[in-house]
Amino acid sequence: MLTRVKSAVAGFMGGIMSGGSSGGGGNPGAEMPLKFPYMRPEFLGLSPDEIECSADHIARPILILKETRRLPWATGYAEVINAGKSALNEDQACCEVVVARKRPMSYCPPSTPSKTPTAKRRNSLPNGEGLGLRMEHSKLGEDAEGLVFHYWALFDGHAGSGAAVVAARLLQHHIACQLQAVIEILRNLASPPPTVMGEEPDMNPYLQGNTPGPHRALTRAASLRGATGAPGSPCSTPPPPRFFTEKKIQHESLVIGAIENAFKEMDAQIEREKQVYNVTGGCTALTVVYLLGKLYVGNAGDSRAIIIRNNEIIPVSTEFTPESERQRLQFLGFMQPHLLGNEFTHLEFPRRVQRKEVGKRMLYRDFTMNGWAYKTIEDEDLKFPLIYGEGKKARVLATIGVTRGLGDHDLKVHDSNIYIKPFLSCCPEVKVYNLTQYEHGADDVLVMGTDGLWDVLSNQEVAEAVTTFLANCDPDDLHRYTMAAQDLVMRARGVLRDRGWRITNERLGSGDDISVFIIPLMYGNRQP
Amino acid sequence: MLTRVKSAVAGFMGGIMSGGSSGGGGNPGAEMPLKFPYMRPEFLGLSPDEIECSADHIARPILILKETRRLPWATGYAEVINAGKSALNEDQACCEVVVARKRPMSYCPPSTPSKTPTAKRRNSLPNGEGLGLRMEHSKLGEDAEGLVFHYWALFDGHAGSGAAVVAARLLQHHIACQLQAVIEILRNLASPPPTVMGEEPDMNPYLQGNTPGPHRALTRAASLRGATGAPGSPCSTPPPPRFFTEKKIQHESLVIGAIENAFKEMDAQIEREKQVYNVTGGCTALTVVYLLGKLYVGNAGDSRAIIIRNNEIIPVSTEFTPESERQRLQFLGFMQPHLLGNEFTHLEFPRRVQRKEVGKRMLYRDFTMNGWAYKTIEDEDLKFPLIYGEGKKARVLATIGVTRGLGDHDLKVHDSNIYIKPFLSCCPEVKVYNLTQYEHGADDVLVMGTDGLWDVLSNQEVAEAVTTFLANCDPDDLHRYTMAAQDLVMRARGVLRDRGWRITNERLGSGDDISVFIIPLMYGNRQP
């Protein structure tokens, strides 16, 4: 069966099947070994044959967690492959309970910020296999030696599955690594994180006001915006001595910083390992970390997570696309025009400019604008716009439709030497949801999905589908969340009819890979 | 009386009184003439004597609109001077009905985006006096020849009142100028704005798909993120010809673009005129434009506007401060390290780093982070942080506490050659409120205030005060909005007691200049 499908698919897809990569503009590492083989999520427990069958672009079977297998918190999961745009399912998923153990610092060097725009990270980072991190359940978020966190992640690959596979295997270990450096601090919730590691906050010499260095600058500063002394004193005694207060950092901020730096280290590792392994393409990353009573949702890309609580929708991520990040990207193109390689303009126009339109007045906007205005078209404006297209068709440098994620280090504009990577960010936005602040019922869930889900179903439709589905399930059936995930994937994929996938109201179903986690929130403070 | 006050204030303020400028680091234009003399808002109708008396830092008289004077829509206004931080009230206000008339293009050249980061604008712009714009009321937002808009603005100056005075006189004319270029388009709400001026949208040759140039790039683009053809077709007919659709721009976007570019032109005019006039300091700018049924709230700085409708608070601006714009500024410092002059670091620390802490691990964050992590302190980290301090004391380059506004072209870090201006943006964020979508009662208002108001009163407190005050007024008394504004200023200033200004609950009152507009919304579609 698979053979027939394969040849049928290969027939209409041209050369795409052969490399297991969609697009790509050449793969410089093709002769090198894979870091990890292509896979489906480990927790699905699929045999190699099952994995092959799962890639049937005609049947598009929906894969779900087997009833005999269980994920932490009775998490539900379902996925389906695309309708033919790539040979393999480029989505990847991971769900684990991870223990970060206190270790000597040298073992897991923490992230260091670049000193100059051109500096490269030189840290030698672990690749996960040797870390000795092991799965373990814990109710309190800590065991004797370490800190336990729950971890769910979706990766949506493009131009090959390499980066997504590597990230699905390793990102959690980078998070553990970053957390290792602050385990003691996180376990001691009674004291705020010290500014200098190993020192008590009240050892801060600045509170005594004996400051060396450009103190003068601060003195000058006060005159500009009315910060001198206390407001409201017209001609009273001189203002109190101005000592330098210290910003108080919350424990929560250390977890956010750890996740942010873990994404950066994951990306740096992919870049390094491309020297010796074949790591194709790039991927978005959406992660949920549960630690010490809080959910940390980190997102770099166009996947999405929402919480459905008591029939209310709480978005817990935002998407990063050429449209949502237009101003950041245009600003970069404006500041560093060499990144545009003399082929692109940082200005946006409603469509391509034609040579015969030079001298006419056309709508445009630059990085400072959300509105539009007219400008006289010049030769310069005939270059291709850095951001072009609308909605799902919007592209950066005519190449990529998502602006954050991991990998893509070799990605160039077709037939040029213009790299895309400088415009992409591997930094997630991390949002925090305090699980202990609410009572959660059996139908209160967090839904994570790749864009294949959200392209065709709105938050409202997803929430209604999940709520209705769960209401009709036995509340004690731990498999209900997987069944609900399966239902969602089915609603987004639709059925094959009249040569196309159709969902309700004759709308087009998603032809993309679709992956969905449904995480019940009631288990946050008790193990199922 | 004023003499006594002046000498008392001068006594405790040192040299600040003399120049009419607080701080400033030298005023290179001090020997040049003023563009406009210091003033209070024209609509207050104050005599020179009254203006002098208004600057009494001890009495701090609250100035209000006289009962015999009326602003459009029966707008209320009140203001008070600071408690001594500057000799003059550095807030300025403006309220006018402006007619933008269609004129030859050459008369009022529209804004042109810079082509390279170093390019300067070369447009010669009008300075307002010669524009022939006149005040006029109109119900429909258009007269025979032009377009009528209502305009309210607050400017909060720093390091001198020059920029604020100039902006209060001229910004509305720049907005009129920008709108002039699109009058015909805005009057024709039935057709969307044409991409090319003077051409009908359906003349777009791209809809036929005959595209020259880097078409190939788009073709390549499609392979990367699943944009090929319609989703959901596994092996159907080839996708329909991919023609280049045109972004449809709304009329509203042209007004937003006009306001955005007007701010930029105002800033460019200040820069130019500093060659021949003494224009001190800089200022924030908060503007409200009412045009064709919609309010456009443009904000560059830390003033604020809220709408109070049916006791509900609707924020219609956000503030731009070193804290809210930290990541933009750190990113700029990272990309263009020369702007930091080898004295500042783009990294943020919870407090200054000391030399003896080199080698220790300290909390930091960079432009990619919202969380915090530890890094090993190096010599480089001993530099002063680009962003430093918390809340009202946060500063950029140890100098300025607001990150958007007009002017400040000469502002440098004290005793250095490091300019602040590259880190400041003159671009407003423009939010739109559709006045025709709601029924507004007599107590539904838009409140605009400089930070002197919002530093001591929350949105909630302001809304409660205004709602309570208006409920106790005769609804037919057109002076009620000015009385409510006076009440707000009084609540924020407080009373002088025990050598300090105190408000309710013994809190400190604002020692800053305070200016407030209260705009009733019911008059949006009918003239009072």
Side-chain angles (χ1 to χ4, degrees):
Chain A
M1 158 100 178
L2 194 71
T3 317
R4 186 176 60 76
V5 175
K6 236 181 189 168
S7 82
V9 173
F12 95 90
M13 292 199 38
I16 289 177
M17 283 298 281
S18 50
S21 151
S22 65
N27 178 2
E31 72 291 349
M32 290 188 283
L34 291 172
K35 169 91 176 172
F36 300 108
Y38 172 77
M39 61 172 196
R40 297 316 309 147
E42 206 178 279
F43 56 72
L44 288 180
L46 300 185
S47 68
D49 267 2
E50 287 173 314
I51 290 182
E52 251 196 298
C53 286
S54 78
D56 181 338
H57 294 80
I58 302 290
R60 297 183 79 193
I62 297 175
L63 309 189
I64 61 171
L65 199 65
K66 292 173 184 162
E67 226 167 317
T68 51
R69 289 178 174 259
R70 195 176 313 157
L71 290 175
W73 295 11
T75 298
Y77 178 80
E79 65 165 53
V80 71
I81 196 169
N82 62 78
K85 73 165 190 166
S86 66
L88 302 174
N89 185 338
E90 292 181 344
D91 283 0
Q92 294 293 340
C94 180
C95 174
E96 284 185 14
V97 181
V98 184
V99 186
R101 287 186 196 287
K102 194 160 167 55
R103 285 176 185 281
M105 288 298 298
S106 59
Y107 187 78
C108 179
S111 175
T112 306
S114 299
K115 268 179 278 182
T116 71
T118 50
K120 297 258 181 187
R121 287 169 220 290
R122 289 146 315 200
N123 294 336
S124 160
L125 276 159
N127 64 8
E129 297 99 331
L131 272 177
L133 297 166
R134 60 192 170 82
M135 290 181 57
E136 187 170 301
H137 285 260
S138 163
K139 191 166 172 182
L140 297 167
E142 41 183 301
D143 74 351
E145 310 154 67
L147 208 55
V148 176
F149 65 93
H150 289 61
Y151 172 83
W152 299 259
L154 292 177
F155 306 91
D156 182 350
H158 50 256
S161 54
V165 168
V166 169
R169 292 281 198 115
L170 299 182
L171 179 55
Q172 68 273 37
H173 302 304
H174 281 284
I175 295 176
C177 253
Q178 296 295 322
L179 287 173
Q180 274 169 16
V182 290
I183 286 180
E184 290 302 321
I185 296 165
L186 291 178
R187 288 170 69 125
N188 181 10
L189 285 172
S191 307
T195 297
V196 175
M197 202 171 256
E199 287 182 8
E200 294 301 313
D202 57 358
M203 288 174 62
N204 169 18
Y206 277 80
L207 294 177
Q208 279 79 56
N210 51 349
T211 51
H215 183 153
R216 52 168 175 74
L218 253 285
T219 311
R220 149 145 184 76
S223 65
L224 254 181
R225 294 286 305 167
T228 327
S233 6
C235 50
S236 54
T237 48
R242 197 182 304 114
F243 40 66
F244 292 76
T245 53
E246 210 173 66
K247 237 176 206 182
K248 287 285 163 281
I249 311 304
Q250 307 293 313
H251 288 87
E252 182 178 297
S253 294
L254 294 192
V255 181
I256 295 170
I259 294 169
E260 289 169 333
N261 282 339
F263 274 61
K264 284 184 268 181
E265 292 300 338
M266 181 74 255
D267 195 55
Q269 185 184 1
I270 291 173
E271 182 175 20
R272 279 193 313 276
E273 302 209 333
K274 282 180 83 84
Q275 307 304 314
V276 287
Y277 292 109
N278 176 13
V279 185
T280 53
C283 67
T284 70
L286 171 63
T287 63
V288 174
V289 167
Y290 171 74
L291 179 64
L292 298 167
K294 291 176 180 171
L295 290 171
Y296 297 84
V297 183
N299 188 38
D302 58 0
S303 294
R304 185 187 298 169
I306 64 170
I307 282 174
I308 305 166
R309 189 183 71 211
N310 202 12
N311 295 323
E312 186 196 349
I313 297 165
I314 303 153
V316 283
S317 71
T318 50
E319 289 98 70
F320 297 97
T321 67
E323 289 187 316
S324 71
E325 295 216 276
R326 174 182 59 85
Q327 288 178 288
R328 173 177 79 78
L329 302 177
Q330 287 185 310
F331 182 54
L332 179 58
F334 175 76
M335 295 302 296
Q336 311 254 310
H338 67 277
L339 297 176
L340 301 174
N342 212 29
E343 282 202 34
F344 292 85
T345 165
H346 72 278
L347 297 181
E348 186 186 9
F349 300 94
R351 61 164 170 79
R352 285 302 305 283
V353 180
Q354 290 183 287
R355 179 158 295 285
K356 66 179 183 186
E357 290 169 326
V358 171
K360 294 187 178 179
R361 296 185 59 73
M362 189 166 177
L363 285 169
Y364 83 99
R365 58 179 172 173
D366 65 19
F367 69 92
T368 67
M369 301 168 73
N370 269 304
W372 293 78
Y374 289 92
K375 79 180 286 288
T376 303
I377 294 296
E378 299 162 70
D379 280 343
E380 184 79 359
D381 302 320
L382 293 169
K383 295 177 180 172
F384 202 87
L386 167 60
I387 308 291
Y388 189 74
E390 273 188 287
K392 288 306 283 185
K393 290 187 176 161
R395 293 287 179 280
V396 178
L397 293 167
T399 303
I400 189 165
V402 65
T403 53
R404 298 212 185 182
L406 307 166
D408 288 321
H409 297 88
D410 297 330
L411 187 63
K412 291 195 227 178
V413 175
H414 180 78
D415 207 11
S416 85
N417 262 319
I418 302 169
Y419 279 93
I420 311 291
K421 188 68 175 173
F423 292 91
L424 306 180
S425 167
C426 61
C427 304
E429 181 187 45
V430 181
K431 299 196 182 189
V432 184
Y433 179 83
N434 191 340
L435 214 54
T436 62
Q437 264 182 351
Y438 307 92
E439 277 286 321
H440 294 97
D443 296 355
D444 293 335
V445 296
L446 187 149
V447 179
M448 297 169 73
T450 50
D451 65 338
L453 175 70
W454 307 104
D455 286 350
V456 295
L457 297 180
S458 67
N459 288 358
Q460 192 61 43
E461 287 171 318
V462 166
E464 277 170 18
V466 170
T467 303
T468 307
F469 191 92
L470 291 178
N472 290 317
C473 286
D474 175 0
D476 295 327
D477 176 8
L478 291 179
H479 202 56
R480 67 204 293 259
Y481 304 105
T482 281
M483 302 304 292
Q486 181 184 36
D487 177 64
L488 270 190
V489 172
M490 169 72 87
R491 284 169 186 268
R493 181 203 66 177
V495 293
L496 189 56
R497 199 167 62 228
D498 304 333
R499 301 181 148 203
W501 292 89
R502 302 275 160 182
I503 61 174
T504 49
N505 303 325
E506 285 306 300
R507 289 185 297 175
L508 281 174
S510 173
D512 200 358
D513 302 312
I514 311 171
S515 306
V516 171
F517 273 123
I518 297 188
I519 309 171
L521 300 178
M522 66 184 296
Y523 297 116
N525 300 309
R526 55 183 162 122
Q527 288 303 322
Chain B
M1 159 100 178
L2 193 70
T3 316
R4 186 176 60 76
V5 175
K6 235 181 190 168
S7 82
V9 174
F12 96 90
M13 294 199 35
I16 288 176
M17 283 299 281
S18 50
S21 152
S22 64
N27 178 1
E31 71 292 346
M32 291 188 283
L34 292 171
K35 169 92 175 171
F36 299 109
Y38 172 77
M39 62 172 195
R40 296 318 309 149
E42 207 178 281
F43 56 72
L44 288 179
L46 300 184
S47 68
D49 267 3
E50 287 173 314
I51 290 181
E52 253 196 298
C53 286
S54 77
D56 181 338
H57 295 80
I58 303 290
R60 298 184 77 192
I62 297 175
L63 309 189
I64 61 171
L65 199 66
K66 293 173 184 162
E67 226 167 317
T68 51
R69 287 176 175 262
R70 195 176 314 156
L71 290 175
W73 295 10
T75 298
Y77 178 80
E79 65 165 52
V80 71
I81 196 170
N82 61 78
K85 74 166 189 165
S86 66
L88 302 174
N89 185 338
E90 292 182 343
D91 282 1
Q92 294 293 339
C94 180
C95 174
E96 285 186 13
V97 181
V98 185
V99 186
R101 287 186 195 288
K102 194 158 166 56
R103 284 174 186 282
M105 289 297 298
S106 60
Y107 188 77
C108 180
S111 176
T112 306
S114 300
K115 268 177 279 181
T116 72
T118 52
K120 296 260 182 186
R121 287 170 219 293
R122 290 147 314 200
N123 294 337
S124 160
L125 276 158
N127 63 11
E129 297 98 332
L131 274 176
L133 297 166
R134 60 193 170 82
M135 291 181 56
E136 187 170 301
H137 285 260
S138 162
K139 193 167 171 181
L140 296 168
E142 41 182 301
D143 73 353
E145 309 154 67
L147 207 57
V148 176
F149 65 93
H150 289 61
Y151 172 82
W152 298 260
L154 292 178
F155 305 91
D156 182 350
H158 51 257
S161 53
V165 168
V166 169
R169 292 282 199 115
L170 299 183
L171 180 54
Q172 69 272 36
H173 302 304
H174 282 285
I175 294 175
C177 253
Q178 296 295 323
L179 287 173
Q180 274 169 14
V182 290
I183 285 180
E184 290 303 321
I185 296 165
L186 291 178
R187 288 170 70 126
N188 181 10
L189 285 172
S191 308
T195 298
V196 175
M197 201 171 256
E199 286 182 9
E200 295 301 313
D202 56 359
M203 288 174 63
N204 170 16
Y206 278 80
L207 294 177
Q208 279 80 55
N210 50 349
T211 51
H215 184 153
R216 52 166 175 76
L218 253 285
T219 311
R220 150 147 183 75
S223 65
L224 254 180
R225 295 285 305 165
T228 328
S233 5
C235 50
S236 54
T237 49
R242 197 183 305 113
F243 39 65
F244 292 76
T245 54
E246 212 174 64
K247 237 177 204 180
K248 287 284 164 283
I249 311 304
Q250 307 293 314
H251 288 87
E252 183 177 298
S253 294
L254 294 192
V255 181
I256 295 169
I259 294 169
E260 290 169 332
N261 282 339
F263 274 61
K264 284 186 267 182
E265 292 300 338
M266 181 75 255
D267 195 54
Q269 184 184 2
I270 291 173
E271 183 176 19
R272 279 194 313 277
E273 301 210 333
K274 282 178 84 82
Q275 307 304 315
V276 287
Y277 291 109
N278 176 14
V279 186
T280 53
C283 67
T284 69
L286 171 63
T287 63
V288 174
V289 167
Y290 171 74
L291 180 65
L292 298 167
K294 290 176 180 170
L295 290 172
Y296 297 84
V297 182
N299 188 39
D302 59 359
S303 294
R304 184 186 299 169
I306 64 171
I307 281 175
I308 305 166
R309 188 182 72 210
N310 203 13
N311 294 323
E312 186 196 351
I313 298 165
I314 303 152
V316 284
S317 70
T318 50
E319 289 97 70
F320 297 97
T321 67
E323 290 187 315
S324 70
E325 296 216 274
R326 173 183 60 84
Q327 287 178 288
R328 173 177 79 79
L329 302 178
Q330 287 185 310
F331 181 55
L332 178 58
F334 175 77
M335 295 303 297
Q336 310 254 312
H338 68 275
L339 297 177
L340 301 173
N342 212 29
E343 283 200 35
F344 291 85
T345 165
H346 71 279
L347 296 181
E348 186 185 9
F349 301 94
R351 60 165 170 78
R352 285 303 304 284
V353 180
Q354 290 183 288
R355 180 157 294 286
K356 66 179 181 184
E357 290 169 327
V358 171
K360 294 187 178 178
R361 296 185 59 74
M362 191 165 174
L363 285 169
Y364 83 98
R365 58 178 172 175
D366 65 20
F367 70 92
T368 67
M369 302 168 72
N370 269 305
W372 294 77
Y374 289 91
K375 79 180 285 289
T376 303
I377 294 296
E378 298 163 71
D379 281 343
E380 184 80 359
D381 302 321
L382 293 169
K383 294 177 180 172
F384 202 88
L386 167 60
I387 307 290
Y388 189 73
E390 274 188 286
K392 288 305 284 185
K393 289 185 177 160
R395 293 286 178 280
V396 177
L397 294 167
T399 303
I400 190 166
V402 66
T403 52
R404 298 211 186 183
L406 307 167
D408 289 320
H409 298 88
D410 296 331
L411 187 63
K412 291 193 227 178
V413 175
H414 180 78
D415 207 11
S416 86
N417 262 320
I418 302 169
Y419 280 93
I420 311 291
K421 188 68 175 174
F423 292 91
L424 306 180
S425 167
C426 61
C427 304
E429 180 186 46
V430 181
K431 300 196 179 188
V432 184
Y433 178 83
N434 191 340
L435 214 53
T436 62
Q437 264 182 351
Y438 306 92
E439 276 286 321
H440 294 98
D443 297 355
D444 293 336
V445 296
L446 186 150
V447 179
M448 299 169 72
T450 49
D451 64 338
L453 175 71
W454 307 104
D455 286 349
V456 295
L457 298 180
S458 67
N459 288 359
Q460 193 60 44
E461 287 172 317
V462 166
E464 278 170 18
V466 170
T467 304
T468 308
F469 191 93
L470 291 177
N472 290 315
C473 286
D474 175 359
D476 295 327
D477 177 6
L478 291 180
H479 202 56
R480 66 204 295 259
Y481 304 105
T482 281
M483 302 304 292
Q486 182 184 36
D487 177 63
L488 270 191
V489 172
M490 169 71 87
R491 284 169 187 269
R493 181 202 68 176
V495 293
L496 190 55
R497 199 168 61 228
D498 304 333
R499 301 181 147 205
W501 292 89
R502 302 275 159 181
I503 61 173
T504 48
N505 303 325
E506 284 306 300
R507 289 185 296 175
L508 281 176
S510 173
D512 200 358
D513 303 311
I514 311 170
S515 306
V516 172
F517 274 123
I518 297 188
I519 308 171
L521 301 179
M522 65 184 296
Y523 297 116
N525 300 309
R526 54 183 163 121
Q527 288 302 321

